[in-house]
Amino acid sequence: MSPPLALPIARIRLPRYSWPVVVILLSALIALCLSLRSIVLEIPLAQWLAALTLSNPLDLQQLVVREILLPRIAISILAGAALALSGVIFQQMLRNPLAEATTLGVASGAGLALKIGILWFPNLVDTAQEGLTFTGAALALGLTFFLAWRDAASPLRLILAGLIVSLFLGVVSSVLALFFHEQLRGMFLWSSGTLQNVGWDASIYLAPRFALCFGLALLLVRPFSLLALADENARSLGIPLAAFRILGMLLAVALAAFVVSAVGMIGFLGIAAPALVRLAGVRTYRARMLASIALGGVLLWLADQLTQVNPFFRNELPTGIVTAILGGPLMLWMLPKLRGMQGASGNELGKSVRRLAAPWLVVTAAVPVLCLAAWAALALGQNLAGWNWSSGAQLDALLPWRWPRVTAALAAGAMMAMSGTLVQRMTGNAMASPEILGISSGATLGVVMLFFFEPVPNHALKIGVAGLSAFVTLVVMLSLARRSAYSPERMILTGVALGTVLGALLSLAMISGDPRLGTLLAWMGGSTYAIAPVDALIACGLAVFLGLLIPLTVRWLDVLPLGEVTARALGVSLAGSRLAILVMTAILTGGAVLIVGPLSFVGLMGPHIARMAGFQRALSQLVASAMIGALIMVVADWLGRNLLFPYQIPAGILATLIGGPYFMWLMWRKTP
């Protein structure tokens, strides 16, 4: 018997350019199924025809579908398309695949401007909301370019400047929310990018504005396409580069501002949609723009539908949190693909700065200054009669309230500064710090998660969990940054991306509805007014104990900034030394975070000021950094207690308001 005839099986190979269509259609199909599921829960399928032909305004189910579900679908598609178009234009203008409204500070600037308008210019919010948000977004973008102008050709430098601007403006927004909680109550969910309870008015507002911007973008496709060429080639074709770049940036800023006005801040969609389109093989600007718009609308529609079916939380998740959780890993994945600053090395600590001839004499002379500041923080303050220097019996009555705060602030500042010094010397990166690298956010997330399982944890457990969380975050960050030889920009961007994910997870935990987490809100702002005497003593003891252990690592800290090859040649065990430093850094960061919250910039300012003052050797820099960090936090706590008396500004927030501009100044000077 002859063998059966083997028929060739044809393999289906889709052309590369058709993959975006497949992805868009598949995502749209999933989103459509989820949307139909939500509608069926309100109106059974058998009643759809009657609902369409005989609309009953008194039927609650029909009202929910018409006024809540359908408007939500419409605004998610519109907002996603607008954010994707904004991202594509930003990336084309700047030739930077990480550029979008969130990473350039545009969204934060628009949101802050809207909050300021609600508080002090309500008439503008009613009559010129677009102008208000556009102005805030444009000013934030201008600040980003101002910080990066000395090296504006570097994609890393530009994105780093934008993220720092976003971080600082976010802290300013937190301060406004702290003092004007009632007036801004309606903006809390809006700030996280929620699409709940959005009616047709949001779509009616956004649709014509998006259509106008889309029409302009289509008219400008050819000149915008030529901007991808080298500047010399574009000029040779007669293209006015400056004019078209400014026009494109204004168009992208306007789109982002319109979305912020309509639904709040939804980040990273402007990166995700164009990135997926590029990966699918779409190369021309026109095709990328059209595919990104379609994919952006579908992705936000799908993300919003997924937030409504999550089985883990009682409350519905804000869509902006979901996009942040997904956007952080996407940013980490794209970082190695960025060009610019490739050769930058993290080993910067050896660059020439003046060296003190007698550093220990300066340290000794600084001790009375720190003691005087602590004494002033205890004795000087405002009361109902005004400023008052307390002494005698009056001071004795105030000390039980003030000394725990001052002691805790001093210990937290010292620990955060020592932690920053350890990270900087281990990596050779003078712009590293626990706050910027996401280590503090990791410690905070660990403590918040602890409260789910242990509502009243003891101090040892809190310090242990915070230290372990900080350790894990630090290990992950260093493993990701090692590929770039701890390049300053890449290391900080890696930390910011990790911090974004951790911050979104933290927000996720805080909106879970668990009443046990309410007490954490003030602590997360870095407030010391709830510090008990035992907390202050534990913090002080932890700082002293670790401060006495750190000198054992001095030889490693002096050698590691010289590089791995030199360290091995001098007999330093890289694995053992780094592990010991990592453990101490994690415990120091965890202890400080428990007092002043996740962000203060003291871990950056203390070591940097000490190094620029001439403290070059590891031990002297550690001691000087600890004293400077302690002084900064004591002063921040004192100012927070008295500036707006009887109201109080948390010390962590006030230190961040000081440290943010300081970090911007470092960037502008391009100082390591």
Side-chain angles (χ1 to χ4, degrees):
M1 177 183 292
S2 59
L5 181 64
L7 297 176
I9 300 176
R11 294 186 178 181
I12 299 176
R13 290 181 178 272
L14 289 175
R16 189 170 179 82
Y17 57 79
S18 67
W19 279 110
V21 178
V22 174
V23 172
I24 293 169
L25 291 177
L26 182 60
S27 302
L29 179 61
I30 298 173
L32 179 61
C33 291
L34 293 174
S35 300
L36 292 176
R37 170 190 172 275
S38 299
I39 295 175
V40 168
L41 290 177
E42 298 294 336
I43 302 177
L45 185 61
Q47 300 178 20
W48 280 20
L49 181 61
L52 291 174
T53 56
L54 301 172
S55 177
N56 182 3
L58 300 179
D59 190 311
L60 183 59
Q61 284 73 26
Q62 291 188 23
L63 191 64
V64 168
V65 171
R66 287 198 311 269
E67 301 301 329
I68 296 179
L69 297 182
L70 294 180
R72 185 164 181 170
I73 294 171
I75 193 60
S76 63
I77 295 173
L78 277 171
L83 289 172
L85 179 56
S86 175
V88 167
I89 296 174
F90 271 132
Q91 292 169 22
Q92 185 73 7
M93 297 302 101
L94 301 174
R95 296 198 285 265
N96 187 340
L98 284 182
E100 64 115 26
T102 304
T103 57
L104 294 177
V106 172
S108 297
L112 178 59
L114 192 55
K115 289 182 180 179
I116 292 174
I118 289 173
L119 292 174
W120 291 292
F121 307 102
N123 291 334
L124 285 179
V125 176
D126 295 334
T127 60
Q129 181 172 309
E130 301 94 336
L132 189 65
T133 53
F134 179 83
T135 301
L139 290 176
L141 183 64
L143 180 57
T144 297
F145 276 100
F146 175 74
L147 294 178
W149 76 273
R150 295 196 178 194
D151 199 3
S154 166
L156 289 169
R157 176 68 61 167
L158 186 63
I159 295 302
L160 176 59
L163 290 172
I164 293 301
V165 169
S166 294
L167 179 65
F168 180 71
L169 296 181
V171 172
V172 176
S173 294
S174 299
V175 173
L176 293 180
L178 182 67
F179 289 101
F180 302 98
H181 183 273
E182 292 301 322
Q183 294 92 322
L184 297 176
R185 180 186 294 273
M187 293 192 68
F188 289 152
L189 276 178
W190 172 91
S191 298
S192 59
T194 182
L195 300 182
Q196 296 181 32
N197 303 321
V198 175
W200 286 111
D201 54 338
S203 298
I204 294 172
Y205 165 82
L206 186 57
R209 290 161 177 79
F210 169 70
L212 177 61
C213 293
F214 177 60
L216 289 174
L218 282 178
L219 291 175
L220 296 168
V221 161
R222 184 178 180 278
F224 283 3
S225 299
L226 296 176
L227 291 178
L229 303 173
D231 288 353
E232 295 78 10
N233 296 336
R235 288 192 186 97
S236 68
L237 295 174
I239 300 297
L241 293 179
F244 278 115
R245 278 214 171 98
I246 291 174
L247 182 59
M249 299 293 283
L250 292 177
L251 188 59
V253 168
L255 282 164
F258 293 150
V259 174
V260 169
S261 298
V263 296
M265 289 179 280
I266 299 176
F268 294 104
L269 200 66
I271 294 177
L276 292 174
V277 168
R278 279 180 181 272
L279 286 175
V282 180
R283 292 292 176 259
T284 66
Y285 169 65
R286 181 189 181 91
R288 279 191 292 113
M289 183 183 72
L290 296 176
S292 297
I293 290 172
L295 184 57
V298 169
L299 284 179
L300 189 56
W301 179 19
L302 176 60
D304 184 54
Q305 292 301 315
L306 289 174
T307 63
Q308 301 175 53
V309 297
N310 79 87
F312 305 107
F313 291 86
R314 291 176 295 177
N315 298 331
E316 183 181 316
L317 301 181
T319 310
I321 290 180
V322 176
T323 58
I325 292 174
L326 299 177
L330 178 65
M331 187 174 169
L332 287 172
W333 176 75
M334 293 183 67
L335 267 177
K337 305 178 185 301
L338 268 179
R339 295 189 301 273
M341 303 298 291
Q342 293 283 359
S345 172
N347 296 328
E348 305 168 326
L349 297 182
K351 293 186 178 181
S352 61
V353 291
R354 69 186 187 91
R355 184 188 296 268
L356 283 175
W360 294 110
L361 182 61
V362 177
V363 168
T364 304
V367 171
V369 176
L370 182 58
C371 293
L372 181 62
W375 178 252
L378 290 171
L380 181 62
Q382 287 204 71
N383 56 29
L384 295 178
W387 286 95
N388 179 58
W389 181 277
S390 303
S391 60
Q394 186 182 32
L395 181 59
D396 292 339
L398 291 173
L399 278 180
W401 303 96
R402 290 183 178 175
W403 79 258
R405 295 186 58 164
V406 174
T407 303
L410 188 148
M415 285 192 289
M416 193 62 80
M418 287 191 290
S419 177
T421 305
L422 291 177
V423 173
Q424 290 181 13
R425 298 196 75 91
M426 181 178 62
T427 63
N429 184 345
M431 291 183 73
S433 79
E435 307 98 329
I436 297 173
L437 299 183
I439 307 168
S440 298
S441 298
T444 304
L445 180 62
V447 176
V448 170
M449 297 306 297
L450 173 63
F451 273 78
F452 278 106
F453 304 99
E454 184 63 39
V456 189
N458 58 46
H459 295 288
L461 185 58
K462 286 193 292 185
I463 293 173
V465 169
L468 179 61
S469 304
F471 177 81
V472 172
T473 306
L474 183 56
V475 169
V476 171
M477 189 275 303
L478 290 178
S479 65
L480 292 172
R482 188 173 182 180
R483 300 177 187 174
S484 60
Y486 305 113
S487 164
E489 284 78 10
R490 290 184 182 275
M491 197 171 171
I492 295 172
L493 282 173
T494 300
V496 169
L498 280 176
T500 298
V501 177
L502 293 171
L505 292 173
L506 184 62
S507 299
L508 204 60
M510 296 303 293
I511 66 171
S512 63
D514 195 315
R516 295 172 296 181
L517 296 175
T519 57
L520 293 174
L521 291 174
W523 163 70
M524 288 178 58
S527 174
T528 59
Y529 62 72
I531 294 291
V534 64
D535 300 324
L537 292 175
I538 290 174
C540 194
L542 184 63
V544 171
F545 174 72
L546 291 172
L548 293 175
L549 287 181
I550 285 177
L552 300 177
T553 68
V554 164
R555 181 171 180 269
W556 301 335
L557 296 174
D558 279 326
V559 173
L560 286 176
L562 302 178
E564 293 186 0
V565 175
T566 304
R568 288 195 183 97
L570 294 175
V572 174
S573 171
L574 292 178
S577 61
R578 282 176 174 165
L579 179 61
I581 294 172
L582 284 173
V583 170
M584 284 190 286
T585 300
I587 297 175
L588 285 167
T589 303
V593 163
L594 289 173
I595 300 170
V596 296
L599 192 65
S600 67
F601 281 100
V602 175
L604 172 74
M605 291 189 291
H608 187 270
I609 293 173
R611 189 175 73 89
M612 297 307 293
F615 293 93
Q616 295 297 299
R617 300 299 297 269
L619 186 57
S620 62
Q621 187 190 7
L622 275 165
V623 175
S625 299
M627 296 180 68
I628 293 169
L631 179 63
I632 290 173
M633 284 308 303
V634 167
V635 173
D637 182 64
W638 177 79
L639 289 174
R641 178 159 40 96
N642 292 287
L643 278 180
L644 298 177
F645 182 84
Y647 303 102
Q648 298 193 31
I649 307 174
I653 288 180
L654 193 59
T656 304
L657 291 177
I658 299 170
Y662 181 80
F663 188 73
M664 294 179 189
W665 176 76
L666 290 182
M667 282 197 62
W668 181 77
R669 282 176 53 104
K670 205 179 178 182
T671 304

